[in-house]
Structure formats: structure tokens, C-alpha cells
Amino acid sequence: MSIRHSGIGMTSQRTRMRMVERLREQGITDERVLTVMNTIPRHLFVEEALASRAYDDVALPINFGQTISNPWTVARMTELLRANSNLGKVLEIGTGCGYQTAVLAQLAQEVYSIERIGPLLTRTRIRLRELRVSNAYLRHADGLLGFPEAAPFDGIMMTAVTTQVPESLLEQLMIGGRIVYPKGSRKQNLCVIEHTSQGFIETILDEVKFVPILSGVISK
Ligand code: SAH
């Protein structure tokens, strides 16, 4: 991989440190999240032509009409999911290029991630294998159904926007666990749902921009 992106290999650690400094200035406080994002080579998750912009605070295209979330969004969602405690099993809906998956894999014991676009997932599988991410289990399926065999989860992250979290996902969240997702349609906000013994509590937070959740799968 160092061959593929040899041109920017020399500067990427410095560029990553600048990205982390910026995240701090933008209000990210979870040091573990910042440490992990300081180590993961984000430029390897985008096409080579876009690699030089990988650390900018922008979302970038990853083919099939999808996008890799900007660094702040990844950091913020991860810090909200972690809530300063160690994560056991996490479910991600919308694997995309796998960057968020790789971040979660450093902070949780196991990550289960579902992607509906087959060819996108095939590339991501190769990428995560090359990066030796060994505790992420990827599945080509409709994420709205969740991953019942691996449930319950102590965290669920959706990386595509929806107006409502499906019942199947709420059922797969253990008590004490939380779901972080972008809620809305044209206007979108990050939203945290906590599963307490008294029921589900929803909190609406920062404004964001995501591609929509779609049902069904694409095989090729
Ligand atoms: N975390 C990803 C975000 C990718 S964009 C990254 O950083 O790259 C959102 C992804 O969600 C897209 O890849 C899209 O195909 C996927 N997606 C949308 N609806 C889905 C569904 N119902 N099940 C699984 N994946 C879905």
C-alpha cells in the first residue's frame, strides 16, 4: 500500500496530526478517539486521486454515489457511541469505505458492519484485510434488519440518514447501550438513543449531512 500512495506517504503522519489538532479545536474531547484517528491512514480509504484531500474536513466520494464522512463527523459519532466507556460488541450500518469501521475496531472488542452495495463491500474487505483489521465482521445485507445472530450490541452506529430507527435495531440493543445515528431528511441532526431499564431516551445534537439509508441490496 505504501507503493500505491507513495507520493503522500511522507507527509501523512504530519497531516494526520494536524487533523487531530483541528478536531480538538472543533470540540472533540475523547482522547482515545483522537489517538486512534491519529494512527489510521485515512488516505488509504479514498481513491488515489483524492488522497491528498483525505485529511481535510470534508466528505469525499467513495464511488457508487456514496461518501466517506468528514473527520469531525466520524470523531463526534465515535465519541458519542463510546461515552467514555469501553465498547464490547458494536454494530455499524453502512460500512462504505470502512474508515469508521476501522476506527471502531480499535475501540471495541468486535465490530459487525453491514453494507448493502456488494462491490463497495468487496473493496472494503480487501482494504481492511490489508490494514490487518481482524475484529471487524462485514456482511453484505440490508442493515435495517440488523445482525440478530451477533446481538445484543452495546453500541449501534448508523452512517446513513433516516427519519426513524427500525424496531429490529432497537431490539438488538442491550440495556445500557446506545444508538448513534443521523436523524432527519433534508435537515439532519446527530441523535443518540439510550436504552435504559425505563425505556429509550432520545437526544438530538449537532447538525450533519449524510446520504440516505436505502432498503434492499445491490449485488453488482
Ligand atoms: N461509514 C461510511 C459511510 C459511508 S456512506 C464511511 O465512512 O465510508 C453510508 C453507507 O451506508 C453507504 O455505503 C451506503 O451504501 C450504506 N447504506 C445505506 N443504506 C443501507 C442499508 N439499508 N444497509 C446497509 N448499508 C446501507
Side-chain angles (χ1 to χ4, degrees), residues 96-116:
C97 69
Y99 178 70
Q100 175 74 72
T101 319
V103 171
L104 288 170
Q106 298 279 320
L107 296 164
Q109 274 162 21
E110 293 176 353
V111 180
Y112 295 80
S113 185
I114 309 177
E115 171 57 55
R116 66 184 285 275

Side-chain angles (χ1 to χ4, degrees), residues 59-70 96-97 159 209-211:
L60 295 170
I62 53 169
N63 290 326
F64 307 98
Q66 307 305 316
T67 51
I68 177 174
S69 300
N70 68 56
C97 69
T159 68
K209 189 89 198 102
F210 276 84
V211 295

